[in-house]
């Protein structure tokens, strides 16, 4: 029955923590062992979702897509809570991005956004912010710069509403992507201002030698060279 399956909450939470700690090999082993005990669609879905996250972190993107697709199918079958389905769709979108499957990624991010916006009920929500950020990144990669600008601007507005005073890495990342978008649109002065703000925020959040700041400085160097 269902009672023995409730014990699966322990390996599921352990796998989630291991993934957060960037220990995906251990997380994958935990979910694989737990899947052998899972019977219901809901538990299989949750475990496969987490296993898909581990595979993506390990760079096994094709396997990650397959695992996450199964998780989404099982969640629909089990009538899973919308938030769980939206999270699985969002993660699946990033696996598609890693494989260069941008149309598929865009479709998954759009599905996740629809679910998250319904749950947010017009209130600022970090999940909506992240979906819009992802859609902006995809649009940038597809060369749809106006659409990217719209999605990234909306994403930034939400994170500013959520964290108006403090620092948040997502705010700095969104500023950087907006700077890249402005650069690609030929708006170099606007791009420089956005990237300057992103660089300063990354320095305050992570310190001077973090990779996020280095990536931003690299973008800034290209713009300054173009501006002369």
């Amino acid at each position: 029955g269902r009672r023995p399956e409730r014990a699966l909450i322990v390996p599921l939470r352990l796998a989630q923590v291991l993934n957060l700690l960037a220990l995906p090999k251990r997380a994958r082993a935990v979910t694989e062992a737990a899947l052998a005990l899972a019977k219901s669609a809901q538990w299989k879905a949750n475990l496969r979702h987490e296993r898909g996250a581990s595979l993506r972190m390990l760079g096994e993107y094709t396997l990650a897509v397959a695992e996450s697709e199964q998780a989404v199918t099982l969640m629909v079958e089990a009538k899973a809570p919308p938030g769980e389905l939206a999270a699985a769709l969002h993660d699946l979108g990033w696996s598609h991005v890693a494989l260069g499957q941008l149309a598929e990624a865009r479709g998954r991010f759009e599905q996740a956004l629809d679910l998250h916006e319904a749950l947010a009920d017009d209130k600022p929500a970090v999940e909506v912010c992240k979906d819009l950020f992802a859609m902006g990144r995809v649009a940038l990669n597809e060369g749809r710069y106006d659409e990217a600008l719209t999605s990234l601007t909306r994403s930034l507005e939400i994170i500013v509403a959520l964290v108006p005073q403090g620092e948040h890495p997502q705010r700095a990342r969104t500023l950087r992507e907006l700077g890249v978008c402005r650069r690609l649109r030929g708006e170099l002065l606007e791009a420089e201002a956005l990237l300057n703000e992103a660089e300063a925020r990354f320095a305050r959040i992570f310190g001077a030698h973090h990779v996020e700041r280095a990536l931003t400085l690299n973008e800034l160097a290209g713009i300054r060279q173009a501006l002369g």
Side-chain angles (χ1 to χ4, degrees), residues 1-2 5 8 34-44 47 74:
R2 294 292 177 86
E5 278 196 309
L8 293 173
L35 274 166
L37 303 174
K39 304 298 181 186
S40 68
Q42 183 63 62
W43 279 109
K44 289 179 181 178
L47 289 163
L74 287 163

Side-chain angles (χ1 to χ4, degrees), residues 4-21:
E5 278 196 309
R6 292 176 186 168
L8 293 173
I9 191 68
V10 175
L12 176 62
R13 293 289 182 259
L14 176 58
Q16 290 169 340
V17 170
L18 289 169
N19 276 332
L20 284 171
L21 293 172

Side-chain angles (χ1 to χ4, degrees), residues 134-173:
M135 290 171 63
R137 285 280 301 273
V138 170
L140 271 181
N141 289 338
E142 291 181 319
R144 295 181 290 111
Y145 302 139
D146 290 347
E147 187 175 327
L149 183 64
T150 298
S151 294
L152 291 167
T153 300
R154 284 186 61 201
S155 181
L156 182 63
E157 288 169 352
I158 292 170
I159 200 67
V160 168
L162 287 168
V163 192
Q165 302 299 327
E167 297 289 0
H168 195 290
Q170 188 64 30
R171 182 169 182 171
R173 292 187 188 103

Side-chain angles (χ1 to χ4, degrees), residues 76-127:
V76 172
E77 176 188 329
K79 296 182 172 58
E84 292 181 10
L85 177 58
L89 288 163
H90 182 94
D91 287 353
L92 175 55
W94 282 119
S95 293
H96 281 303
V97 169
L99 289 171
Q101 299 168 344
L102 299 181
E104 292 87 346
R106 183 172 67 252
R108 294 309 191 182
F109 289 138
E110 287 173 350
Q111 289 175 299
L113 178 63
D114 287 344
L115 290 167
H116 279 142
E117 284 188 326
L119 289 169
D121 193 26
D122 293 328
K123 300 182 186 69
V126 68
E127 294 84 5

Side-chain angles (χ1 to χ4, degrees), residues 169-185:
Q170 188 64 30
R171 182 169 182 171
R173 292 187 188 103
T174 307
L175 285 164
R176 183 177 61 210
E177 295 305 313
L178 276 167
V180 171
C181 184
R182 292 288 189 182
R183 173 178 64 77
L184 292 169
R185 287 162 55 95

Side-chain angles (χ1 to χ4, degrees), residues 53 56 64 99 106 112 118 130 152 173 189 196 203 212:
R56 187 175 68 256
L99 289 171
R106 183 172 67 252
K130 289 180 178 180
L152 291 167
R173 292 187 188 103
L189 291 174
N196 275 327
E212 295 276 22

